[in-house]
Amino acid sequence: MKTMQALFLTFLIVPFVEIYLLLQVGSVIGAFPTVFLVVFTATLGAWLLRRQGFATWNRLQNGLRQGEIPAYEMVEGPILLVGGALLLTPGFFTDLFGFACLIPALRRKIADYLIERHLSAGQTGSIFRQSQRDRSVIEGEYEKHR
């Protein structure tokens, strides 16, 4: 399945799952407790995101001061960003994945996977390279002589 198709399906299916879960939880515990729970998870997620974001930022700065390449911290930053966005989205399904992004051990495993599979130096098919080149374009350099 191509990436765009997977994203389309995700954006199509996730809202239905969220609505279903909100209705099910609301029918069990009531409307106001459900709304309170959604607001509480968003607030808790924002607080955790802030703390872990600052901790990751401090580790990144310390690594740079020591002359190390802070690869994990550079990958953990966007993972935290995605987790924060998922936590601020109302619903329980997205909160599950958002909190998963805030668990340091799980975040480290996700970062390991991304670095090993997609960001390793010299790997073909990296996300930073074009997968197919336009064969009708000839690249080169020229100098203009006067």
Side-chain angles (χ1 to χ4, degrees):
M1 180 179 288
K2 294 184 180 182
T3 305
M4 292 305 289
Q5 291 173 337
L7 282 173
F8 176 73
L9 285 175
T10 300
F11 285 114
L12 187 66
I13 293 171
V14 168
F16 289 114
V17 171
E18 290 291 7
I19 291 170
Y20 176 78
L21 287 174
L22 286 169
L23 290 174
Q24 292 298 316
V25 171
S27 69
V28 172
I29 65 173
F32 289 116
T34 303
V35 171
F36 173 77
L37 197 56
V38 168
V39 172
F40 176 74
T41 58
T43 306
L44 177 65
W47 179 74
L48 286 171
L49 175 66
R50 184 171 184 251
R51 287 189 55 168
Q52 293 191 17
F54 281 130
T56 301
W57 179 253
N58 288 334
R59 284 195 319 272
L60 183 130
Q61 287 182 330
N62 289 337
L64 288 174
R65 273 191 221 111
Q66 295 173 0
E68 299 172 355
I69 298 175
Y72 283 106
E73 289 77 12
M74 290 171 51
V75 174
E76 283 183 356
I79 294 171
L80 284 170
L81 207 66
V82 167
L86 290 172
L87 284 168
L88 292 177
T89 304
F92 300 116
F93 185 69
T94 53
D95 285 350
L96 177 71
F97 289 105
F99 279 118
C101 289
L102 295 182
I103 298 171
L106 187 56
R107 189 173 62 239
R108 183 67 114 172
K109 288 194 181 293
I110 294 169
D112 278 337
Y113 173 79
L114 289 173
I115 289 171
E116 293 294 323
R117 302 282 183 179
H118 299 289
L119 301 176
S120 296
Q123 182 176 351
T124 59
S126 173
I127 62 173
F128 296 111
R129 295 186 185 148
Q130 291 180 338
S131 59
Q132 292 180 341
R133 287 211 155 130
D134 186 3
R135 299 291 180 192
S136 64
V137 176
I138 300 173
E139 295 183 26
E141 296 179 17
Y142 73 94
E143 290 182 20
K144 186 174 182 180
H145 296 284
R146 294 185 186 185

mmCIF file of all heavy atoms in Angstrom, residues 77-110:
data_model
loop_
_atom_site.group_PDB
_atom_site.id
_atom_site.type_symbol
_atom_site.label_atom_id
_atom_site.label_comp_id
_atom_site.label_asym_id
_atom_site.label_seq_id
_atom_site.Cartn_x
_atom_site.Cartn_y
_atom_site.Cartn_z
ATOM 1 N N GLY A 77 12.511 14.559 19.058
ATOM 2 C CA GLY A 77 11.780 15.832 19.010
ATOM 3 C C GLY A 77 10.514 15.750 18.169
ATOM 4 O O GLY A 77 9.416 16.056 18.648
ATOM 5 N N PRO A 78 10.618 15.315 16.896
ATOM 6 C CA PRO A 78 9.397 15.169 16.096
ATOM 7 C C PRO A 78 8.436 14.109 16.632
ATOM 8 O O PRO A 78 7.219 14.252 16.487
ATOM 9 C CB PRO A 78 9.923 14.769 14.716
ATOM 10 C CG PRO A 78 11.302 15.308 14.669
ATOM 11 C CD PRO A 78 11.820 15.219 16.082
ATOM 12 N N ILE A 79 8.964 13.064 17.256
ATOM 13 C CA ILE A 79 8.075 12.056 17.849
ATOM 14 C C ILE A 79 7.266 12.697 18.969
ATOM 15 O O ILE A 79 6.058 12.467 19.096
ATOM 16 C CB ILE A 79 8.874 10.837 18.361
ATOM 17 C CG1 ILE A 79 9.517 10.099 17.196
ATOM 18 C CG2 ILE A 79 7.981 9.890 19.163
ATOM 19 C CD1 ILE A 79 10.507 9.022 17.612
ATOM 20 N N LEU A 80 7.913 13.522 19.789
ATOM 21 C CA LEU A 80 7.204 14.245 20.837
ATOM 22 C C LEU A 80 6.165 15.198 20.242
ATOM 23 O O LEU A 80 5.061 15.347 20.779
ATOM 24 C CB LEU A 80 8.182 15.029 21.711
ATOM 25 C CG LEU A 80 8.982 14.215 22.712
ATOM 26 C CD1 LEU A 80 10.081 15.059 23.337
ATOM 27 C CD2 LEU A 80 8.062 13.664 23.791
ATOM 28 N N LEU A 81 6.509 15.830 19.142
ATOM 29 C CA LEU A 81 5.582 16.751 18.484
ATOM 30 C C LEU A 81 4.333 16.016 18.004
ATOM 31 O O LEU A 81 3.206 16.487 18.211
ATOM 32 C CB LEU A 81 6.294 17.417 17.314
ATOM 33 C CG LEU A 81 5.809 18.774 16.890
ATOM 34 C CD1 LEU A 81 6.063 19.786 17.992
ATOM 35 C CD2 LEU A 81 6.522 19.201 15.629
ATOM 36 N N VAL A 82 4.536 14.863 17.402
ATOM 37 C CA VAL A 82 3.402 14.057 16.935
ATOM 38 C C VAL A 82 2.574 13.597 18.132
ATOM 39 O O VAL A 82 1.341 13.640 18.116
ATOM 40 C CB VAL A 82 3.887 12.853 16.099
ATOM 41 C CG1 VAL A 82 2.778 11.848 15.865
ATOM 42 C CG2 VAL A 82 4.453 13.336 14.779
ATOM 43 N N GLY A 83 3.256 13.160 19.191
ATOM 44 C CA GLY A 83 2.541 12.734 20.392
ATOM 45 C C GLY A 83 1.718 13.859 20.992
ATOM 46 O O GLY A 83 0.572 13.652 21.407
ATOM 47 N N GLY A 84 2.274 15.057 21.029
ATOM 48 C CA GLY A 84 1.538 16.202 21.551
ATOM 49 C C GLY A 84 0.327 16.539 20.700
ATOM 50 O O GLY A 84 -0.751 16.840 21.220
ATOM 51 N N ALA A 85 0.488 16.480 19.385
ATOM 52 C CA ALA A 85 -0.648 16.753 18.496
ATOM 53 C C ALA A 85 -1.745 15.710 18.685
ATOM 54 O O ALA A 85 -2.938 16.042 18.694
ATOM 55 C CB ALA A 85 -0.181 16.770 17.044
ATOM 56 N N LEU A 86 -1.347 14.452 18.862
ATOM 57 C CA LEU A 86 -2.348 13.399 19.084
ATOM 58 C C LEU A 86 -3.063 13.577 20.420
ATOM 59 O O LEU A 86 -4.263 13.315 20.527
ATOM 60 C CB LEU A 86 -1.685 12.020 19.016
ATOM 61 C CG LEU A 86 -1.225 11.578 17.634
ATOM 62 C CD1 LEU A 86 -0.412 10.294 17.728
ATOM 63 C CD2 LEU A 86 -2.404 11.397 16.701
ATOM 64 N N LEU A 87 -2.332 14.030 21.437
ATOM 65 C CA LEU A 87 -2.960 14.232 22.747
ATOM 66 C C LEU A 87 -3.905 15.426 22.749
ATOM 67 O O LEU A 87 -4.890 15.431 23.486
ATOM 68 C CB LEU A 87 -1.891 14.404 23.823
ATOM 69 C CG LEU A 87 -1.205 13.115 24.231
ATOM 70 C CD1 LEU A 87 0.026 13.407 25.057
ATOM 71 C CD2 LEU A 87 -2.163 12.239 25.013
ATOM 72 N N LEU A 88 -3.625 16.422 21.951
ATOM 73 C CA LEU A 88 -4.509 17.587 21.894
ATOM 74 C C LEU A 88 -5.732 17.343 21.020
ATOM 75 O O LEU A 88 -6.701 18.094 21.094
ATOM 76 C CB LEU A 88 -3.735 18.806 21.398
ATOM 77 C CG LEU A 88 -2.668 19.315 22.370
ATOM 78 C CD1 LEU A 88 -1.904 20.475 21.747
ATOM 79 C CD2 LEU A 88 -3.280 19.729 23.695
ATOM 80 N N THR A 89 -5.689 16.285 20.218
ATOM 81 C CA THR A 89 -6.857 15.904 19.426
ATOM 82 C C THR A 89 -7.858 15.226 20.355
ATOM 83 O O THR A 89 -7.507 14.282 21.056
ATOM 84 C CB THR A 89 -6.449 14.924 18.308
ATOM 85 O OG1 THR A 89 -5.425 15.532 17.530
ATOM 86 C CG2 THR A 89 -7.618 14.559 17.436
ATOM 87 N N PRO A 90 -9.110 15.695 20.377
ATOM 88 C CA PRO A 90 -10.077 15.080 21.294
ATOM 89 C C PRO A 90 -10.360 13.627 20.926
ATOM 90 O O PRO A 90 -10.596 13.311 19.768
ATOM 91 C CB PRO A 90 -11.343 15.920 21.121
ATOM 92 C CG PRO A 90 -10.995 17.045 20.242
ATOM 93 C CD PRO A 90 -9.668 16.787 19.625
ATOM 94 N N GLY A 91 -10.301 12.774 21.903
ATOM 95 C CA GLY A 91 -10.615 11.367 21.691
ATOM 96 C C GLY A 91 -9.678 10.472 22.463
ATOM 97 O O GLY A 91 -8.619 10.895 22.928
ATOM 98 N N PHE A 92 -10.101 9.231 22.603
ATOM 99 C CA PHE A 92 -9.333 8.272 23.396
ATOM 100 C C PHE A 92 -8.351 7.472 22.545
ATOM 101 O O PHE A 92 -7.290 7.079 23.014
ATOM 102 C CB PHE A 92 -10.281 7.325 24.139
ATOM 103 C CG PHE A 92 -11.195 8.051 25.080
ATOM 104 C CD1 PHE A 92 -12.562 8.049 24.887
ATOM 105 C CD2 PHE A 92 -10.683 8.750 26.156
ATOM 106 C CE1 PHE A 92 -13.402 8.721 25.752
ATOM 107 C CE2 PHE A 92 -11.513 9.431 27.024
ATOM 108 C CZ PHE A 92 -12.883 9.418 26.817
ATOM 109 N N PHE A 93 -8.702 7.198 21.312
ATOM 110 C CA PHE A 93 -7.838 6.423 20.419
ATOM 111 C C PHE A 93 -6.550 7.187 20.129
ATOM 112 O O PHE A 93 -5.450 6.631 20.232
ATOM 113 C CB PHE A 93 -8.603 6.103 19.126
ATOM 114 C CG PHE A 93 -7.876 5.214 18.175
ATOM 115 C CD1 PHE A 93 -7.652 3.883 18.476
ATOM 116 C CD2 PHE A 93 -7.416 5.699 16.961
ATOM 117 C CE1 PHE A 93 -6.986 3.053 17.602
ATOM 118 C CE2 PHE A 93 -6.747 4.881 16.077
ATOM 119 C CZ PHE A 93 -6.530 3.549 16.394
ATOM 120 N N THR A 94 -6.661 8.465 19.788
ATOM 121 C CA THR A 94 -5.467 9.268 19.524
ATOM 122 C C THR A 94 -4.672 9.508 20.801
ATOM 123 O O THR A 94 -3.443 9.601 20.753
ATOM 124 C CB THR A 94 -5.828 10.617 18.872
ATOM 125 O OG1 THR A 94 -6.815 11.274 19.673
ATOM 126 C CG2 THR A 94 -6.330 10.426 17.456
ATOM 127 N N ASP A 95 -5.383 9.592 21.941
ATOM 128 C CA ASP A 95 -4.673 9.747 23.217
ATOM 129 C C ASP A 95 -3.794 8.540 23.509
ATOM 130 O O ASP A 95 -2.697 8.685 24.055
ATOM 131 C CB ASP A 95 -5.659 9.944 24.366
ATOM 132 C CG ASP A 95 -6.271 11.333 24.378
ATOM 133 O OD1 ASP A 95 -5.788 12.198 23.614
ATOM 134 O OD2 ASP A 95 -7.219 11.553 25.147
ATOM 135 N N LEU A 96 -4.253 7.372 23.151
ATOM 136 C CA LEU A 96 -3.473 6.156 23.365
ATOM 137 C C LEU A 96 -2.132 6.245 22.634
ATOM 138 O O LEU A 96 -1.073 5.999 23.219
ATOM 139 C CB LEU A 96 -4.261 4.937 22.887
ATOM 140 C CG LEU A 96 -3.564 3.591 22.978
ATOM 141 C CD1 LEU A 96 -3.444 3.175 24.436
ATOM 142 C CD2 LEU A 96 -4.334 2.558 22.192
ATOM 143 N N PHE A 97 -2.168 6.638 21.379
ATOM 144 C CA PHE A 97 -0.928 6.766 20.612
ATOM 145 C C PHE A 97 -0.110 7.973 21.062
ATOM 146 O O PHE A 97 1.119 7.944 21.040
ATOM 147 C CB PHE A 97 -1.227 6.845 19.111
ATOM 148 C CG PHE A 97 -1.693 5.542 18.546
ATOM 149 C CD1 PHE A 97 -3.024 5.349 18.232
ATOM 150 C CD2 PHE A 97 -0.805 4.501 18.349
ATOM 151 C CE1 PHE A 97 -3.460 4.142 17.724
ATOM 152 C CE2 PHE A 97 -1.230 3.290 17.837
ATOM 153 C CZ PHE A 97 -2.565 3.110 17.526
ATOM 154 N N GLY A 98 -0.792 9.038 21.475
ATOM 155 C CA GLY A 98 -0.078 10.213 21.981
ATOM 156 C C GLY A 98 0.685 9.907 23.256
ATOM 157 O O GLY A 98 1.858 10.276 23.384
ATOM 158 N N PHE A 99 0.058 9.210 24.191
ATOM 159 C CA PHE A 99 0.755 8.836 25.422
ATOM 160 C C PHE A 99 1.868 7.829 25.135
ATOM 161 O O PHE A 99 2.893 7.829 25.811
ATOM 162 C CB PHE A 99 -0.217 8.289 26.469
ATOM 163 C CG PHE A 99 -0.943 9.358 27.213
ATOM 164 C CD1 PHE A 99 -2.325 9.459 27.154
ATOM 165 C CD2 PHE A 99 -0.262 10.277 27.992
ATOM 166 C CE1 PHE A 99 -3.000 10.440 27.840
ATOM 167 C CE2 PHE A 99 -0.923 11.267 28.697
ATOM 168 C CZ PHE A 99 -2.302 11.358 28.607
ATOM 169 N N ALA A 100 1.671 6.973 24.131
ATOM 170 C CA ALA A 100 2.731 6.025 23.753
ATOM 171 C C ALA A 100 3.974 6.781 23.281
ATOM 172 O O ALA A 100 5.104 6.360 23.549
ATOM 173 C CB ALA A 100 2.233 5.078 22.670
ATOM 174 N N CYS A 101 3.777 7.900 22.594
ATOM 175 C CA CYS A 101 4.919 8.705 22.138
ATOM 176 C C CYS A 101 5.626 9.401 23.307
ATOM 177 O O CYS A 101 6.769 9.828 23.167
ATOM 178 C CB CYS A 101 4.459 9.759 21.132
ATOM 179 S SG CYS A 101 3.974 9.096 19.538
ATOM 180 N N LEU A 102 4.950 9.524 24.441
ATOM 181 C CA LEU A 102 5.549 10.192 25.598
ATOM 182 C C LEU A 102 6.224 9.227 26.566
ATOM 183 O O LEU A 102 6.855 9.661 27.523
ATOM 184 C CB LEU A 102 4.485 11.004 26.349
ATOM 185 C CG LEU A 102 3.883 12.176 25.581
ATOM 186 C CD1 LEU A 102 2.890 12.922 26.459
ATOM 187 C CD2 LEU A 102 4.950 13.117 25.069
ATOM 188 N N ILE A 103 6.111 7.939 26.333
ATOM 189 C CA ILE A 103 6.799 6.960 27.176
ATOM 190 C C ILE A 103 8.239 6.869 26.685
ATOM 191 O O ILE A 103 8.487 6.475 25.543
ATOM 192 C CB ILE A 103 6.106 5.582 27.112
ATOM 193 C CG1 ILE A 103 4.674 5.692 27.634
ATOM 194 C CG2 ILE A 103 6.907 4.544 27.876
ATOM 195 C CD1 ILE A 103 3.844 4.451 27.407
ATOM 196 N N PRO A 104 9.218 7.266 27.527
ATOM 197 C CA PRO A 104 10.605 7.356 27.052
ATOM 198 C C PRO A 104 11.150 6.071 26.434
ATOM 199 O O PRO A 104 11.809 6.120 25.395
ATOM 200 C CB PRO A 104 11.387 7.745 28.309
ATOM 201 C CG PRO A 104 10.397 8.459 29.159
ATOM 202 C CD PRO A 104 9.086 7.763 28.897
ATOM 203 N N ALA A 105 10.897 4.918 27.036
ATOM 204 C CA ALA A 105 11.435 3.662 26.498
ATOM 205 C C ALA A 105 10.826 3.340 25.132
ATOM 206 O O ALA A 105 11.531 2.920 24.212
ATOM 207 C CB ALA A 105 11.174 2.518 27.475
ATOM 208 N N LEU A 106 9.541 3.562 24.998
ATOM 209 C CA LEU A 106 8.874 3.299 23.720
ATOM 210 C C LEU A 106 9.305 4.321 22.670
ATOM 211 O O LEU A 106 9.518 3.977 21.501
ATOM 212 C CB LEU A 106 7.359 3.323 23.903
ATOM 213 C CG LEU A 106 6.519 2.907 22.709
ATOM 214 C CD1 LEU A 106 6.921 1.515 22.224
ATOM 215 C CD2 LEU A 106 5.049 2.921 23.076
ATOM 216 N N ARG A 107 9.467 5.562 23.087
ATOM 217 C CA ARG A 107 9.930 6.605 22.171
ATOM 218 C C ARG A 107 11.336 6.289 21.666
ATOM 219 O O ARG A 107 11.667 6.480 20.511
ATOM 220 C CB ARG A 107 9.885 7.959 22.865
ATOM 221 C CG ARG A 107 10.133 9.116 21.945
ATOM 222 C CD ARG A 107 9.915 10.438 22.619
ATOM 223 N NE ARG A 107 10.819 10.653 23.729
ATOM 224 C CZ ARG A 107 10.442 10.870 24.971
ATOM 225 N NH1 ARG A 107 9.170 10.883 25.295
ATOM 226 N NH2 ARG A 107 11.337 11.073 25.914
ATOM 227 N N ARG A 108 12.172 5.735 22.538
ATOM 228 C CA ARG A 108 13.538 5.359 22.150
ATOM 229 C C ARG A 108 13.506 4.229 21.121
ATOM 230 O O ARG A 108 14.270 4.228 20.169
ATOM 231 C CB ARG A 108 14.309 4.932 23.395
ATOM 232 C CG ARG A 108 15.740 4.589 23.136
ATOM 233 C CD ARG A 108 16.521 5.780 22.721
ATOM 234 N NE ARG A 108 17.501 6.073 23.743
ATOM 235 C CZ ARG A 108 18.439 6.970 23.592
ATOM 236 N NH1 ARG A 108 18.518 7.651 22.474
ATOM 237 N NH2 ARG A 108 19.284 7.208 24.522
ATOM 238 N N LYS A 109 12.587 3.271 21.305
ATOM 239 C CA LYS A 109 12.463 2.178 20.339
ATOM 240 C C LYS A 109 11.971 2.698 18.984
ATOM 241 O O LYS A 109 12.440 2.255 17.940
ATOM 242 C CB LYS A 109 11.523 1.101 20.867
ATOM 243 C CG LYS A 109 12.119 0.296 22.005
ATOM 244 C CD LYS A 109 11.311 -0.947 22.239
ATOM 245 C CE LYS A 109 11.870 -1.756 23.370
ATOM 246 N NZ LYS A 109 13.172 -2.331 23.120
ATOM 247 N N ILE A 110 11.039 3.642 19.002
ATOM 248 C CA ILE A 110 10.567 4.241 17.756
ATOM 249 C C ILE A 110 11.709 4.986 17.080
ATOM 250 O O ILE A 110 11.907 4.880 15.864
ATOM 251 C CB ILE A 110 9.367 5.181 18.017
ATOM 252 C CG1 ILE A 110 8.156 4.390 18.511
ATOM 253 C CG2 ILE A 110 9.002 5.957 16.760
ATOM 254 C CD1 ILE A 110 7.025 5.256 19.038
#
